[in-house]
Amino acid sequence: MSSLSLDIFKNDVHGNPIWLDAVGDLDAARLTLRQLASVIPGEYFAFDQNIHQIVVSVVRSDSDRIGG
């Protein structure tokens, strides 16, 4: 049984982090961040509870839309 050690956040319009989910590993974090950013543009990141650092982030603006 793996523990959920990476928290997924989205920054709101003021730059404040909003917790969205928790995942167990870096691959799951990358996938989750890509999926979220593909639906709603914004700044997303995964925070590792064990080392207290952001380990991966994704930023997608409205102008980054596919086919846009």
Side-chain angles (χ1 to χ4, degrees):
M1 181 171 158
S2 69
S3 64
L4 300 177
S5 63
L6 298 174
D7 287 310
I8 305 295
F9 291 89
K10 180 183 190 307
N11 284 332
D12 69 11
V13 296
H14 303 291
N16 300 311
I18 299 169
W19 184 89
L20 300 174
D21 199 0
V23 297
D25 61 45
L26 197 52
D27 288 334
R30 286 185 181 118
L31 177 62
T32 301
L33 294 176
R34 282 193 306 259
Q35 289 173 335
L36 289 167
S38 73
V39 176
I40 302 172
E43 298 179 33
Y44 298 87
F45 63 92
F47 183 82
D48 188 320
Q49 296 175 20
N50 296 318
I51 61 172
H52 303 282
Q53 291 184 4
I54 294 172
V55 293
V56 64
S57 63
V58 171
V59 177
R60 185 181 147 241
S61 67
D62 284 324
S63 62
D64 293 337
R65 288 183 304 205
I66 296 172

